[in-house]
Amino acid sequence: MTGGHGASDADRMGRRLAAALNPGPGGVQVALATAVAVALALALSSVLVALTGGSPGGAVRALYDGSLANSSAISSTLLYAAPLLLVAVGTCVCVRAGVFNLGQEGQVLIGALAGAAVGLRLAVPGPALLVIALVAAALAGGAWAGISSLMHRFRGVNIVVSTLLMTFLAQQLVSYAVNTEWLLQETRRGGATVSPQSNRLPENGLLGSFGEYPGLQVNGGLLIALLAAVVIAVLIARSRWGFRLTMLGLNPRAARHAGVRVAALSGMALALSGAFAGVAGAVLLTSPVGTNRLQQGLSNNIGWDGLLVALVARNRPLAAIPVALLFGVLRSGGGFLASTGVPHFLVDVVKSLLVLAFVVPPVLTEALRRRRAGRGTGTDADVPAPEPKEAVAS
């Protein structure tokens, strides 16, 4: 960082985690450790289900019935997977640049807010309204994340902290909008009581689906998410932009010496992450996964879960596709757990255990590798290496 500002502990922890989760060597050891960790996570989940009075086998069957048992259940899983994948793809971009964004939940809400404002205020015919709403959501989410980048650049505000705190501001903005008559609160009809939500978006502002109920339905949001994952994966692997992004995340100092505009590229990566989260909010708003109305709880932790999807996928957009589907299964099938007597919150516990099972092994393997390397060279492996400068610094 420039000026007198040093990297805070949160910055350091975020950068270390991002570096440890980036694709790297040690495949066999990591794979074995991950397999053992996943087995332990599933075993512990079974124990927790049994302790709460449920049947582990019944819980698995309930998850299957709610997510994969028939065409309707699979359609629900795919609906949840789409916004999760969009958030994860954006997270992969910013982490590749060495920037740790924790504000996806708020960026999802801001994207939905912008999409609702455009969809309800503009009288645009045909599918153009949907396109404008999606673009507005992307711009709003990107701008919301960009505020944290600007605060860091000009005031040295910690990005990890600012993106997280901006989430609570986004929640209040959405709450104010849907509770204020002249903003986005639903229209009062006669003497009826209005709810804290917007009017329903017009039909030409909604994402279409392929297939009809009760058959398999694939919503357009999933196609957008899959296309985004493929495009970003190709750009990261094959383009000059992707090479510079990866170089920036690995070593900002070397990237600066190579001619990379560190502040601009890292700020763009953070804004792009917010843009993808904003589109995820628009997908939640315009797809059948919800009521097609802006509501305070619209995000429903999609931002947080999308971040976890990226962590489990180790910041690889294509690997995020099956992980997003797995999280979609947990979300779609979680509602069926009540029929087995298992508390719904155990789904979150299972997700957390699975995330730890996938995240911890590569971190521990890398730590052990460095310790062995330190002993082999006669150096003290416990002395931390110098921290690279914050990637968003000028």
Side-chain angles (χ1 to χ4, degrees):
M1 296 174 61
T2 58
H5 302 292
S8 67
D9 291 340
D11 280 326
R12 292 173 181 171
M13 292 177 63
R15 290 186 62 79
R16 285 175 177 173
L17 179 59
L21 293 177
N22 273 327
V28 175
Q29 291 181 343
V30 172
L32 291 176
T34 301
V36 173
V38 170
L40 291 175
L42 293 177
L44 183 56
S45 299
S46 300
V47 172
L48 291 175
V49 170
L51 290 177
T52 57
S55 166
V60 172
R61 284 192 298 272
L63 284 173
Y64 174 77
D65 290 339
S67 59
L68 298 172
N70 50 57
S71 298
S72 178
I74 295 175
S75 300
S76 176
T77 297
L78 296 179
L79 282 175
Y80 282 115
L84 288 170
L85 181 57
L86 283 167
V87 174
V89 170
T91 303
C92 292
V93 172
C94 68
V95 174
R96 282 277 183 165
V99 183
F100 212 69
N101 176 16
L102 287 184
Q104 289 91 342
E105 184 76 1
Q107 292 147 19
V108 167
L109 283 173
I110 292 298
L113 175 62
V118 169
L120 294 172
R121 299 298 186 191
L122 294 183
V124 179
L129 180 63
L130 173 62
V131 174
I132 295 174
L134 291 173
V135 172
L139 293 176
W144 192 256
I147 293 174
S148 294
S149 179
L150 292 175
M151 288 193 296
H152 176 80
R153 179 176 175 86
F154 294 108
R155 290 296 181 183
V157 179
N158 185 296
I159 285 182
V160 176
V161 174
S162 66
T163 52
L164 176 62
L165 295 181
M166 291 281 283
T167 296
F168 302 103
L169 179 57
Q171 292 171 344
Q172 295 304 314
L173 284 176
V174 171
S175 177
Y176 180 74
V178 297
N179 283 284
T180 304
E181 185 176 354
W182 58 271
L183 282 177
L184 290 174
Q185 189 177 41
E186 68 175 343
T187 304
R188 185 184 299 273
R189 292 176 173 82
T193 303
V194 294
S195 301
Q197 62 183 10
S198 72
N199 291 326
R200 188 175 184 273
L201 265 67
E203 289 297 328
N204 63 322
L206 303 180
L207 283 164
S209 297
F210 300 93
E212 295 182 3
Y213 181 84
L216 179 65
Q217 292 178 287
V218 178
N219 187 256
L222 181 63
L223 302 182
I224 294 174
L226 292 173
L227 179 62
V230 172
V231 170
I232 292 298
V234 171
L235 288 177
I236 288 177
R238 301 294 181 183
S239 72
R240 179 180 299 179
W241 173 79
F243 175 76
R244 291 186 174 186
L245 198 73
T246 303
M247 179 169 56
L248 173 61
L250 294 175
N251 195 322
R253 184 177 300 174
R256 183 179 292 109
H257 285 301
V260 175
R261 298 176 61 187
V262 171
L265 184 58
S266 55
M268 183 189 67
L270 181 59
L272 193 58
S273 174
F276 276 110
V279 175
V283 169
L284 284 174
L285 180 69
T286 59
S287 69
V289 73
T291 61
N292 303 132
R293 300 171 183 263
L294 180 65
Q295 298 170 324
Q296 298 178 52
L298 175 74
S299 56
N300 194 23
N301 294 328
I302 286 291
W304 305 123
D305 283 355
L307 171 61
L308 298 181
V309 169
L311 291 178
V312 172
R314 297 189 68 189
N315 308 311
R316 290 170 291 186
L318 294 182
I321 296 175
V323 179
L325 290 173
L326 172 61
F327 274 64
V329 166
L330 294 175
R331 274 186 168 267
S332 182
F336 279 63
L337 286 180
S339 63
T340 66
V342 177
H344 185 272
F345 66 82
L346 272 183
V347 175
D348 294 328
V349 175
V350 173
K351 284 190 293 189
S352 301
L353 291 173
L354 288 175
V355 169
L356 289 175
F358 281 99
V359 169
V360 171
V363 176
L364 291 180
T365 302
E366 177 65 15
L368 292 174
R369 186 191 66 79
R370 290 183 177 181
R371 181 176 292 274
R372 286 195 298 267
R375 289 174 178 174
T377 57
T379 60
D380 187 355
D382 293 328
V383 177
E387 289 291 333
K389 293 184 179 180
E390 172 60 49
V392 188
S394 56

